[in-house]
Every structure is written in structure tokens, then in C-alpha cells.
Amino acid sequence: MTTPAPRIAGVVPPVVTPLTEEGTVDVRSLERLVERLLAAGVDGIFALGSSGETVFLTDNQRDQVLETVVKTVGGAVPVIAGCIEPTTRRVLDRAEASARLGADGLVATAPFYAIVGPHEIERHFRSLASSVELPLFAYDIPVCVHTKLSTDLLTRLAADGVVAGVKDSSGDDVAFRQLVLRIAEQAPDTGFSLLTGHEVVVDAMMLAGASGSVPGLGNVDPAGYVRLHRACVGGDWDTARREQDRLTRLFRIVDAADPATTAGATRGVGAFKTALALLGVIDGNAVSLPLRPLDADETARVRTQLELAGLL
């Protein structure tokens, strides 16, 4: 029997949410950004993820973002929607909205803020899957939810058809490699998607058996990640390494913000938005409070990295 292709594979950027200075969704900038991603040849779009500032947005804003993304994509590639909420019932509310707005798949984390253990986390995913018709993807991001999804749990959920794949942003590449092996051994016929969010080691994760990547930096250079993925799939690992090295250097834009006054979200999303504004894709680099936009000196540092990467 031939192992089925993953339900989601390739380059699936977690699209940022452009905002106006007043904090409203900049719909036209979002449309341009999605059009640019499609033109670069991406294989899917992840709306309302961490890079999309989903936890900062109101439900109305989330609906507006997803509606805009789905409409702009027009069925060209799958759209998976983040349903990032602290508890099961709240995730289901977002799942219902996402299905109504045309998403092709749903993405959920482990519960957070609420104190839970492995049994509650498994019950969470099984309850979600039993209540939705769209494919459900597990989002492993312990830095935000303070729980690492175990290899045992993900393998069990894959084998039982509960989750269709994982978006791994744990930074634990050893665990990801083990998961690849466990899926091959215990759930080989499920079409389970193994997506790495570790954008600076995509080539290594693809060599290990990843299905694709969900790179935040893919907002800035989607064509680079498409070239990287195609080189990996084609077994041209020398080309893949060169492209990955270039993208890894470009990732230095996240170091542009002053660490004395910023932390992870501002440095990451803020740098991506600043780069996109410099490239003329979005109108400005506004971010959600309590984050702050990059200032002139920080923007100049982002510009330097864009120039070194050949994007400006």
C-alpha cells in the first residue's frame, strides 16, 4: 500500500495581520500580502496564528482577517485557521466561526491559563475532533501555552484519526525527529502532516522527514522558502543548504529591535511587518498593544538585512 500524501504539505506561511495606526485591520494590505504569497507559489496559508497576532485581536477582527484571506485565496490553496483559545468550549466557538467563513482546516493548541495535565490535554483534542468536521491540526508551541505536546500523545492522536497533523513550534528538534519516526512506525497510513515552524532549520527538518514548513519569515521572503522546499523535495541538498543559509541570515531582522525595550512578539512580528512595509507590501508596521512598532533606527537595521538578502 502506498502511504498517502499529507493533507497539508509544502510552504504554509502564517500570515501576519496588517493593522492601521488606529489598530483596525488593514484589509487592503492584507489582500496584497496574500496575493504576494500566492504569486510566490506557497502551498497553503495559515491565518490567525502567532505571527497573525491572533490573541491580540477581537473576534470581529479575527472574522474580518479570515474572511479576507479566504476571499483573496479563492480556493487556490488550503487555508487553515488558528482557533487559539484557552479552553475547549472557546476553541469550538472559533472553530464554528472559521468553518462558516470558509477555512479548510483548524489549528488548536493545548489549553492554557487553566491548569491542566496530559489527560485533560488529550480530552481537549478528542473533544474538538468529535465536534468539528474540518481537519484538526495540533499546534505545539510550549513557549506560549507552557505545555509540550508529547510524542506519545501526538502519535496516539494521529493513529486514531483525531488530528490531521502538527505544526511544531516547540524548537525541540529531537522530539520532532522522534515524532517523524513514530508516525512512520505506528500511523503510516494516516496522511499525517508534519510541519515545522522552525524556519532556520527547514532543510534539516525536511531531511528528517517533515512534510513542510510554516515559517513566519515566509511573509517576508515566500519565494525563498518555496525554492528551499522544492530543492529539498528534489533531493538537491546543496541548493537547499545555500537557500537556508541565506534565509537564516535574513532571520537576523528579529535582532533589529532593542532588547532593552522589547521581547519576543515585538521583535518577531514587529520585524516581519517592518520588512513588509519597507518592501511596499503593507502600508505600515503597526502592531497590537502592548507591543510597539520598530522605530527609525531599528527599521534601518531591518533594511540592511533585506539588502544583504537581495530583497531590496
Side-chain angles (χ1 to χ4, degrees):
M1 180 182 295
T2 302
T3 301
R7 301 187 195 193
I8 299 286
V11 180
V12 187
V15 64
V16 304
T17 301
L19 299 172
T20 67
E21 292 296 331
E22 294 73 33
T24 61
V25 177
D26 183 347
V27 172
R28 184 63 194 118
S29 287
L30 179 57
E31 291 171 340
R32 287 197 302 270
L33 174 55
V34 172
E35 288 165 355
R36 180 171 180 261
L37 297 176
L38 294 174
V42 302
D43 302 285
I45 302 286
F46 176 23
L48 300 174
S50 302
S51 294
E53 295 171 81
T54 187
V55 297
F56 296 93
L57 305 178
T58 66
D59 282 342
N60 286 338
Q61 287 177 314
R62 291 172 178 177
D63 288 352
Q64 187 178 23
V65 168
L66 185 55
E67 183 176 25
T68 300
V69 171
V70 169
K71 181 180 178 181
T72 306
V73 168
V77 298
V79 176
I80 55 176
C83 302
I84 313 301
E85 292 285 354
T87 58
T88 308
R89 180 64 257 175
R90 293 178 68 89
V91 174
L92 285 173
D93 286 346
R94 285 310 309 164
E96 291 166 5
S98 299
R100 184 181 71 249
L101 293 168
D104 299 295
L106 309 171
V107 184
T109 69
F112 53 94
Y113 187 83
I115 299 173
V116 296
H119 300 293
E120 289 86 0
I121 293 169
E122 181 161 357
R123 191 175 302 119
H124 172 71
F125 282 107
R126 290 187 182 276
S127 297
L128 294 175
S130 69
S131 301
V132 301
E133 295 183 0
L134 294 176
L136 175 66
F137 296 85
Y139 191 175
D140 191 10
I141 183 164
V143 69
C144 291
V145 304
H146 307 297
T147 299
K148 172 78 179 74
L149 299 179
S150 72
T151 300
D152 285 345
L153 172 62
L154 289 170
T155 303
R156 190 161 58 248
L157 295 179
D160 291 348
V162 175
V163 294
V166 62
K167 192 265 185 174
D168 182 81
S169 293
S170 68
D172 188 343
D173 297 332
V174 173
F176 187 79
R177 182 71 180 258
Q178 291 287 1
L179 179 62
V180 171
L181 293 175
R182 290 284 294 278
I183 293 296
E185 293 163 355
Q186 299 181 31
D189 302 323
T190 57
F192 190 78
S193 298
L194 290 148
L195 304 170
T196 179
H198 206 173
E199 56 244 287
V200 299
V201 291
V202 171
D203 57 344
M205 296 302 97
M206 289 294 294
L207 183 60
S211 310
S213 61
V214 187
L217 189 63
N219 285 278
V220 179
D221 192 358
Y225 277 99
V226 170
R227 288 192 298 270
L228 170 58
H229 182 81
R230 290 176 179 171
C232 292
V233 170
D236 186 354
W237 298 107
D238 287 339
T239 296
R241 178 173 181 173
R242 287 194 296 273
E243 191 65 48
Q244 181 69 83
D245 284 348
R246 189 185 66 82
L247 290 165
T248 300
R249 293 186 184 98
L250 176 60
F251 192 69
R252 293 170 183 168
I253 62 173
V254 304
D255 296 324
D258 183 355
T261 58
T262 59
T266 296
R267 297 177 70 204
V269 176
F272 298 157
K273 285 187 169 183
T274 299
L276 287 165
L278 287 169
L279 292 169
V281 180
I282 65 176
D283 288 343
N285 69 343
V287 290
S288 303
L289 287 171
L291 311 182
R292 69 161 178 82
L294 271 61
D295 64 22
D297 289 340
E298 294 163 335
T299 297
R301 291 194 282 273
V302 172
R303 177 185 290 276
T304 296
Q305 295 301 328
L306 291 175
E307 291 171 346
L308 291 171
L311 297 179
L312 274 179

